[in-house]
Amino acid sequence: MSTPTAGQRVKELRRAAGMSQADLATAMGRSESWVSQVERGVQPVERLAILQGLADALGVSVREIRPDAAPSPAEPLDETPEPESNDLDGLRVALTGHPALGSLFDDGPSSSTPTLAEFRHLVDQAWEYVHASSFAALSDHLAKLLPEIEVAVRRAPAADRIELHSLRARGYQAAAASFTRQDQADAAWVAADRALQAAEMADQPLEVVASLFRMAHAFMRQQHMDQAEQAAKSAVGVLDPRAENPGCPPEELSLLGAMNLVLAVINAREGNRSETQVHLNRAEAIAARLGEDRNDFDTEFGPTNVKLHAVSTAVELGDAGLALEIAAAVDASGLSSERQARFLLDVARAHAQRRHVGEATAALLDAESLAPEQIRDHHMAREIIRDLIQLSGRRVPEALRELADRSGVS
């Protein structure tokens, strides 16, 4: 019989303590996805300080988690850096404190600074990671990039600062979007707020609106619907009159449409059917005016995304049949893998509402093939998996059981 891994021990001890993964995450000051990754062996834990924190949270000794980990009293704690995280913890740390404190004291940079062209490429690359749900790569990328931009914008020639502020805003927006998807809404709020400030310093009003879009999503994830609604409505109130101009730029229309989709989701979650439909209709009209799927400010707004939100809001309102009817006519293949996976999550939710275990599992597996990090760590995917296991009773399909194992679902 094989010896259980440290992750398996954590899982067993957590269950024995009557704790959920969310409970342990709260006790550790970490995200639920981090706990899931520890239990699955995706996120190794080597530092004794972290092991001690787990042991304290579980009410056990370190030896019960890692028999080989506890040193003798004479041995110092091992301060070897943690292995690379598969979560956004590195990026979260990078957001802590002043973003470029050293630049306020040093006469010059300690290393070469990327050029404007290099910064443009690096920010674009960050968004590629976002749309692919490659959170580990994104965390490493932005944890290095954001401090570099913060230093550069304080030391660059005046002629370069406007664009650097704009790039800084886009970088923080990427961070905010990913924190929201990883259920770290507090960090998303910080990142969105920094993006908003950078966008204003760049004198880019539309970047300010894009930052409000990210902030609204962070508020929704925190269940602060009134604040999310305020952020979205403030933007719509300004953009709506401008959209009446036949020459309104498509970028403005995209942001206005995206904000209407935010308001549609908020109203759906509050059970307000009529207002949900008002905002869906408004977004649909704007998308028809654009006539194509676009990705202005990385919102992926267009006719297809409006249909995806029609599916999502129908599920929120409990109209699973309508959601599946709309979904059957949607071709989302032109959107990012992240957006396609999110759509399939909603399809799985609709099937789960109708107790279609096989169809829901198939949708989850398709989503996993597109964006494995997103599906295995997304709170909604994990909730669906738990519901499907419960619906299955004693006859849990093997594919669903294996997916639950990969996702660390208790």
Side-chain angles (χ1 to χ4, degrees), residues 19-54:
M19 299 174 73
S20 67
Q21 290 179 334
D23 293 334
L24 182 54
T26 299
M28 288 292 297
R30 299 270 184 160
S31 67
E32 186 177 346
S33 64
W34 181 85
V35 173
S36 168
Q37 290 166 358
V38 168
E39 293 185 353
R40 284 155 33 211
V42 175
Q43 173 60 62
V45 178
E46 303 295 339
R47 290 185 62 190
L48 281 169
I50 303 299
L51 284 169
Q52 187 64 61
L54 279 167

Side-chain angles (χ1 to χ4, degrees), residues 46 68 73 80 93 166 222 253 269 284 299 317:
E46 303 295 339
D68 61 334
T80 303
V93 170
S166 182
Q222 289 179 310
L253 291 174
R269 291 183 181 177
E284 185 177 24
T299 60
L317 292 166

Side-chain angles (χ1 to χ4, degrees), residues 88-297:
L88 293 170
D89 288 343
L91 177 54
R92 189 183 182 98
V93 170
L95 287 184
T96 304
H98 191 282
L101 186 60
S103 66
L104 304 182
F105 294 90
D106 298 339
D107 292 330
S110 57
S111 59
S112 61
T113 302
T115 64
L116 268 177
E118 289 170 335
F119 273 130
R120 290 187 205 107
H121 171 72
L122 290 168
V123 172
D124 286 341
Q125 187 176 1
W127 275 104
E128 289 174 10
Y129 288 138
V130 174
H131 290 309
S133 293
S134 298
F135 298 122
L138 177 72
S139 182
D140 292 341
H141 185 76
L142 283 182
K144 181 174 185 291
L145 173 60
L146 290 176
E148 286 183 335
I149 295 182
E150 291 284 5
V151 171
V153 79
R154 288 164 170 80
R155 292 178 171 153
D160 293 345
R161 288 179 187 170
I162 294 296
E163 184 172 359
L164 281 169
H165 280 306
S166 182
L167 290 169
R168 185 164 66 105
R170 289 192 63 218
Y172 278 118
Q173 288 169 24
S178 297
F179 278 126
T180 299
R181 291 167 193 169
Q182 282 275 302
D183 299 330
Q184 299 189 45
D186 57 338
W189 184 359
V190 171
D193 190 60
R194 289 190 184 176
L196 194 152
Q197 180 253 5
E200 185 169 356
M201 294 187 74
D203 195 23
Q204 294 290 328
L206 294 184
E207 287 285 6
V208 172
V209 175
S211 301
L212 282 171
F213 176 78
R214 304 299 167 190
M215 187 172 287
H217 278 278
F219 285 139
M220 280 197 289
R221 188 67 200 96
Q222 289 179 310
Q223 301 299 315
H224 294 167
M225 295 303 177
D226 54 343
Q227 291 175 277
E229 187 173 29
Q230 172 60 28
K233 279 189 171 181
S234 66
V236 169
V238 172
L239 296 179
D240 244 343
R242 297 173 61 85
E244 294 177 7
N245 181 354
C248 183
E251 296 83 2
E252 283 195 37
L253 291 174
S254 287
L255 284 174
L256 177 58
M259 283 301 199
N260 272 280
L261 291 180
V262 168
L263 290 169
V265 173
I266 291 170
N267 279 280
R269 291 183 181 177
E270 294 181 337
N272 192 332
R273 292 174 180 273
S274 60
E275 281 298 306
T276 297
Q277 197 58 52
V278 165
H279 291 294
L280 281 177
N281 290 344
R282 180 65 174 134
E284 185 177 24
I286 294 168
R289 185 171 163 184
L290 287 170
E292 63 178 344
D293 290 328
R294 299 174 61 92
N295 192 29
D296 298 308
F297 301 96

